[in-house]
Amino acid sequence: MEYGIRIRVWGDWACFTRPEMKVERVSYDVMTPSAARGILEAIHWKPAISWVIDAIYVEKPVRFENIRRNEVESKVSASKVKSVMNGNEAKNFFIDINKERQQRASMILRDVSYIIEAHFEMTDKAGEDDNEGKHRDIFRRRAIGGKCFHRPYLGCREFPAMFEWVEEKSEIKTINESGDLGWMLFDIDFKNDMTPGFCRLVMKEGRIEIPSRKEVFS
């Protein structure tokens, strides 16, 4: 873990939505690898680097809670937005939330805390000034200072994530639970027509080993 990092993220609520649930939101038991990657990218990301999630440590017991939230039924399509941006008439570009609003149930996680263990790889867009040590130091400074490009969140933007840097030699206290978490969303392959990748994850005494991207998408 020479150029790896550890960061603790926590929050009051989280919802890592199962894609197989079409209407009501139901969260996975724990954070998904793609959600972990999104949090790291919110703190520091450049085209020169690609984050790789190695493991996720679960620090608090898994607790679910049912809530109801007001959501908007429809959304403006991306093609319509592009059309308006190109100067075409903005016909039917408005959504009246008072008419589109509907109440949906969600089964979400409550009082979560994780430690993300990750490293990054240099991409083909890395310049001469880019190297692993430089980007690790940048990430470390930003994490210690609480800086981010946008507020990281725990599955949904309504559930913000707090974060702090964790030194490599710090003791990690995980929950004493083990079990098969089943098939979970690993990530989206944006270079291959946004193909979703799934992997079967197992928690051993609170630690979840994450397979490599090559293992999932090969």
Side-chain angles (χ1 to χ4, degrees):
M1 202 173 122
E2 185 178 359
Y3 293 110
I5 61 96
R6 280 178 177 171
I7 186 170
R8 175 178 287 109
V9 297
W10 71 95
D12 295 334
W13 312 95
C15 184
F16 308 107
T17 307
R18 291 178 175 272
E20 65 268 30
M21 304 297 179
K22 296 294 185 182
V23 180
E24 312 295 355
R25 295 181 187 273
V26 177
S27 177
Y28 285 115
D29 292 8
V30 297
M31 171 186 285
T32 62
S34 60
R37 175 184 56 77
I39 289 175
L40 300 182
E41 290 181 349
I43 299 170
H44 175 62
W45 178 82
K46 294 291 180 183
I49 63 172
S50 175
W51 283 105
V52 178
I53 308 301
D54 297 316
I56 295 173
Y57 298 84
V58 183
E59 294 191 299
K60 290 188 175 180
V62 179
R63 297 169 57 196
F64 286 97
E65 185 160 317
N66 289 302
I67 64 170
R68 287 188 175 274
R69 297 187 297 173
N70 290 328
E71 299 187 8
V72 177
E73 181 180 5
S74 61
K75 61 182 180 181
V76 177
S77 67
S79 59
K80 187 172 291 184
V81 173
K82 289 181 180 178
S83 176
V84 173
M85 291 174 67
N86 290 328
N88 297 318
E89 184 181 359
K91 188 177 180 181
N92 298 327
F93 192 62
F94 172 75
I95 290 180
D96 186 347
I97 60 172
N98 292 317
K99 295 181 179 178
E100 300 283 345
R101 181 186 298 139
Q102 61 180 217
Q103 197 172 61
R104 291 183 178 176
S106 300
M107 189 164 77
I108 64 176
L109 295 168
R110 182 175 183 180
D111 191 20
V112 300
S113 181
Y114 307 101
I115 289 181
I116 302 170
E117 186 175 276
H119 70 280
F120 51 77
E121 297 174 346
M122 306 306 296
T123 70
D124 56 5
K125 295 182 180 179
E128 295 181 356
D129 295 335
D130 291 306
N131 59 71
E132 293 89 344
K134 169 188 170 182
H135 285 286
R136 183 187 183 279
D137 290 343
I138 292 173
F139 183 89
R140 182 176 182 275
R141 288 197 301 270
R142 292 179 65 82
I144 291 174
K147 298 178 180 178
C148 52
F149 294 123
H150 61 83
R151 169 53 57 185
Y153 54 89
L154 297 164
C156 294
R157 289 190 181 275
E158 301 96 310
F159 306 139
M162 311 300 124
F163 62 89
E164 67 178 6
W165 175 261
V166 178
E167 295 293 345
E168 184 178 351
K169 296 181 180 179
S170 299
E171 182 182 3
I172 299 177
K173 295 182 178 178
T174 60
I175 59 174
N176 187 26
E177 293 183 14
S178 302
D180 187 347
L181 299 172
W183 290 91
M184 293 179 61
L185 176 67
F186 174 81
D187 211 331
I188 304 293
D189 187 355
F190 293 97
K191 295 181 179 178
N192 188 21
D193 197 25
M194 297 189 68
T195 303
F198 293 85
C199 59
R200 191 160 192 165
L201 298 181
V202 176
M203 179 163 64
K204 296 180 180 178
E205 297 182 346
R207 185 180 189 275
I208 305 167
E209 188 82 21
I210 308 299
S212 68
R213 192 176 187 85
K214 185 177 180 180
E215 291 176 295
V216 175
F217 287 104
S218 61

